[in-house]
Amino acid sequence: MPTVLNAPDDRRRGAGAVRWVWLAAVLLSAGGLLALQVMDGPSLGRQGLAALLGVLLTVGLAVRAGGRPLPAGLVALGLGATAVTSQWPPLLAGVAVGTAVVAACLGILGTTPAPSMRAVVREVVLAQAVATIGAIAVAGYVVDLDPTTFAYLVLAISLIATIAMVYRLGAGLHGLGRRGLALGVTAIVMLTIALAYSEALGRWGSPGLTDQVDTVRLWLRDHLGAVPHPIEVLLGIPALSWGVFMRARRRQGWWVTAFGVAATAPATGRLIDPGMTATNTLLGAAYSLLVGLALGYLLIRAEQAFQGTRGSRARRSEEAAAHRPEPFRLRPLH
């Protein structure tokens, strides 16, 4: 009889232990892969660790999204093992893209509600850390990838996948409301314009305009050491900041959080550009994070002012009352 009574507690402890083992495996795999890359280790060893890391991230996303982790992990394992053993570049590239998408989505779904700005910063940093682990795995496949094509493809797939997974979490489309719908349309328009403008500038822009843009980039790189990523700064990080802040108050904040994939998706391709040094990459990520968080802070304070929460005392009282619960970040969301 005591064994029967304690069975649920034992299962919960066992599940908790499995989650922490998964987290330790992810960190150890990412650390080992990064060390191999720094030491320019054998390609086969790096690809094997990258495939393992892809499997772990896939299992984590399946669990967090409330799916079936075993079939998802087996599919990821089969694709990764086939790509590594065959050494077929298109398959390696495809697995790298898939790993990047999984990491970008997991970075978003792995967040929790943030009642205060300190918690917002924590969630944004953790989301970017997950995306960076994905970037380490992508670089570990040691396959030639066009950075621009890779960025567009990963962003498009990640955005569609994240919105599909957030559909239930955000109470469906009817839960958007007028403000949410306007915000979603605005975000999509901003993203479309930014991507279309970048592509048009590169292909059909006049030599004078292209030279001016290149001059500004070179000046920033020479004086600051790196250039912040515009999509992350203007859309991804502010949306993620505002989204996790809203989720502490209402469920519909998930719809805003979904557009934070515009921050995590570009982060997964940071290590594949041969023209970027480690210093450029780190500085660019830091600048994007700082400026994006500043814009997110302004958005949050503007919403609080719009709702009548003015003054530091009123904000502290509102933040103390914001406690909408969600499952712990290593547990299924539904």
Side-chain angles (χ1 to χ4, degrees), residues 28-334:
L28 288 173
S29 300
L33 181 54
L34 185 60
L36 282 178
Q37 291 173 354
V38 171
M39 296 184 297
D40 196 19
S43 297
L44 191 60
R46 292 157 65 182
Q47 290 171 341
L49 272 179
L52 173 61
L53 193 52
V55 171
L56 292 170
L57 292 175
T58 301
V59 169
L61 179 61
V63 170
R64 184 64 171 165
R68 300 174 64 184
L70 183 58
L74 290 175
V75 170
L77 178 61
L79 289 174
T82 304
V84 173
T85 54
S86 68
Q87 291 294 302
W88 189 34
L91 185 54
L92 283 170
V95 174
V97 170
T99 301
V101 170
V102 168
C105 295
L106 182 57
I108 298 302
L109 265 66
T111 57
T112 57
S116 64
M117 275 307 303
R118 179 179 298 179
V120 166
V121 174
R122 178 196 67 210
E123 295 303 317
V124 172
V125 170
L126 285 175
Q128 290 294 75
V130 173
T132 301
I133 290 175
I136 295 172
V138 169
Y141 283 107
V142 197
V143 62
D144 289 333
L145 296 167
D146 178 69
T148 303
T149 304
F150 178 87
Y152 288 165
L153 189 59
V154 171
L155 179 56
I157 299 175
S158 300
L159 183 59
I160 294 171
T162 303
I163 290 176
M165 287 184 282
V166 162
Y167 182 83
R168 289 176 59 189
L169 300 173
L173 291 176
H174 65 277
L176 274 171
R178 291 184 178 180
R179 289 177 60 193
L181 182 60
L183 178 66
V185 171
T186 301
I188 292 175
V189 170
M190 284 180 58
L191 185 60
T192 303
I193 291 175
L195 295 178
Y197 178 77
S198 300
E199 184 67 16
L201 181 64
R203 292 194 177 189
W204 302 295
S206 64
L209 180 60
T210 304
D211 290 341
Q212 289 180 0
V213 173
D214 290 339
T215 300
V216 172
R217 288 176 178 172
L218 289 174
W219 186 90
L220 289 173
R221 186 169 295 181
D222 291 340
H223 290 78
L224 300 179
V227 180
H229 197 289
I231 297 297
E232 292 184 44
V233 170
L234 298 178
L235 178 59
I237 295 176
L240 182 55
S241 302
W242 194 11
V244 295
F245 189 81
M246 289 176 61
R247 275 165 49 201
R249 292 145 179 85
R250 49 191 179 275
R251 183 179 179 182
Q252 287 74 17
W254 267 112
W255 285 108
V256 183
T257 306
F259 289 98
V261 79
T264 56
T268 61
R270 283 188 177 132
L271 302 179
I272 64 173
D273 190 348
M276 297 288 289
T277 65
T279 302
N280 295 145
T281 301
L282 290 174
L283 286 176
Y287 293 152
S288 298
L289 189 63
L290 290 174
V291 180
L293 282 172
L295 292 178
Y297 174 83
L298 293 177
L299 275 174
I300 290 170
R301 291 295 179 247
E303 184 197 27
Q304 289 181 317
F306 180 78
Q307 293 181 343
T309 308
R310 296 182 176 88
S312 58
R313 180 178 298 178
R315 287 196 296 267
R316 284 196 298 269
S317 299
E318 190 273 340
E319 291 172 358
H323 52 77
R324 178 183 165 273
E326 281 187 11
F328 178 59
R329 69 180 80 251
L330 295 181
R331 293 185 178 183
L333 283 166
H334 52 71

Side-chain angles (χ1 to χ4, degrees), residues 1-8 11:
M1 183 66 69
T3 303
V4 175
L5 293 175
N6 292 333
R11 283 197 295 269

